Amino acid sequence: MTTFGYFLSSEEHDPKELVRQAKLAEEAGFEALWISDHFHPWLDEQGESSFVWSVIGAISQATSLPVTTAVTCPIIRIHPAIIAQAAATAQILLDGRFRLGVGTGEALNEHILGDQWPPAEERQRMLEEALDVIRELWTGELVTYHGEFYEVDTARLYSLPDQPPPIYVSGFGPKSVELAGRLGDGYIHTAPAADMVEAFHKAGGEGKPCAAGLKVCWAHDEAEGRKTVHRLWPNQGIPGEAAQLLPLPRHFEQLSQLVTEEAATQSTPCGPSPEAHLNAIREYVDAGFDEVYISQIGKDQEGFFEFYSTQILPRLRERH
């Protein structure tokens, strides 16, 4: 049975609004939450980027839904020992409903303390070592760790949940998917890629959950929705590795000037047609994802939740 959740966009909405949307999502019938973890938005037009751990604490007291970070980068901006403490606290506050989603991050968020931005293979080694640190600290034992990238000196976590949170690992290429299958308790992706699900299973992920997210834009007409997407998320039409390499929102804005409305909305259902939304979501289900998270682009959250509660979620569940 597929889980259908809501994807909270920390880049678009202030922290109080994110908590409000979490409550609206639960009322509308969504079963779980994703929340993005950024220091900067992708574009100044998006306009927000709050500290995700504070927001998770507030959400834990406002809803009964599971929460997953999609995704946290525990390798540069925040030391993995601190992520271990933050995630353990979130798991306690959420009564065991927290999942730590991790990935190798983007220069956009990770360069801010002046650290060098490493190449992809090095970041993958850093992530593997970071997960070792996190899991060792979750044992509650006194930890001293001397690794290639991280040092921990006689550290112990005292506030620990009954069970540590599962760690979901994102992966978009063969090496990162192999790492996710080998080390993750689950897998995260952002496209309906059946080949990536299969690769994750072959790398050791068989029987582990696969989760994916997509953006939509419910609007009163398709043209209105397409304009909203092109204004707020043209960066999703930028191909290649730029998303991992560019350090500032203005750089994404500069490249986004080359992105047409068609390119920005190519994978984003827009407008009021139920079939457009249903078909996009079913691609993820058919690709083998166990959890699918939908994010509404723009300010009309009430219209979106009304639309999904009455016309989308019931029909998705009829099939499953």
Side-chain angles (χ1 to χ4, degrees), residues 18-281:
L18 293 171
V19 176
R20 188 183 79 91
Q21 289 176 19
K23 292 190 284 188
L24 290 174
E26 185 168 31
E27 292 166 3
F30 285 97
E31 302 161 290
L33 298 167
W34 264 14
I35 185 167
S36 53
D37 180 0
H38 272 237
F39 190 89
H40 291 140
W42 297 99
L43 307 167
D44 285 343
E45 181 70 23
Q46 292 166 358
E48 296 287 344
S49 205
S50 49
F51 187 58
V52 73
W53 300 104
S54 301
V55 181
I56 289 170
I59 289 171
S60 75
Q61 304 305 296
T63 82
S64 62
L65 297 180
V67 178
T68 305
T69 52
V71 294
T72 290
C73 177
I75 65 173
I76 297 177
R77 169 172 46 112
I78 304 180
H79 192 284
I82 306 304
I83 297 296
Q85 185 184 34
T89 300
Q91 178 76 324
I92 294 168
L93 288 169
L94 283 155
D95 294 321
R97 302 187 311 276
F98 179 69
R99 282 88 61 89
L100 176 62
V102 299
T104 55
E106 303 93 14
L108 176 70
N109 303 302
E110 305 307 316
H111 80 279
I112 60 165
L113 302 179
D115 298 278
Q116 180 181 358
W117 181 240
E121 288 190 6
E122 184 174 331
R123 299 200 310 272
Q124 288 164 2
R125 297 201 316 274
M126 293 173 76
L127 180 60
E128 185 163 353
E129 189 171 300
L131 296 186
D132 283 344
V133 170
I134 290 167
R135 285 177 166 141
E136 282 202 34
L137 284 164
W138 284 348
T139 66
E141 301 295 324
L142 192 68
V143 174
T144 294
Y145 188 99
H146 302 293
E148 180 183 0
F149 303 105
Y150 304 109
E151 296 285 328
V152 179
D153 180 18
T154 55
R156 178 186 170 191
L157 292 183
Y158 280 82
S159 294
L160 286 169
D162 293 335
Q163 295 291 330
I167 298 177
Y168 285 29
V169 180
S170 68
F172 302 99
K175 291 181 180 179
S176 59
V177 173
E178 185 278 330
L179 188 150
R182 182 163 47 88
L183 298 178
D185 302 308
Y187 175 54
I188 285 177
H189 200 64
T190 55
D195 57 335
M196 294 291 100
V197 172
E198 182 180 359
F200 172 73
H201 289 160
K202 287 181 178 178
E206 190 68 45
K208 299 175 183 178
C210 295
L214 75 154
K215 290 180 170 56
V216 307
C217 187
W218 178 86
H220 291 288
D221 64 72
E222 183 180 349
E224 176 191 346
R226 290 170 66 88
K227 287 178 181 177
T228 298
V229 174
H230 192 220
R231 177 174 61 85
L232 287 170
W233 287 90
N235 55 292
Q236 65 184 2
I238 298 172
E241 298 178 55
Q244 283 74 50
L245 301 177
L246 299 178
L248 289 173
R250 73 165 183 260
H251 299 140
F252 285 93
E253 288 166 6
Q254 291 161 6
L255 266 188
S256 292
Q257 293 175 18
L258 304 175
V259 177
T260 64
E261 184 178 288
E262 181 180 1
T265 59
Q266 186 173 12
S267 60
T268 303
C270 298
S273 166
E275 292 306 319
H277 292 256
L278 288 164
N279 290 339
I281 295 165

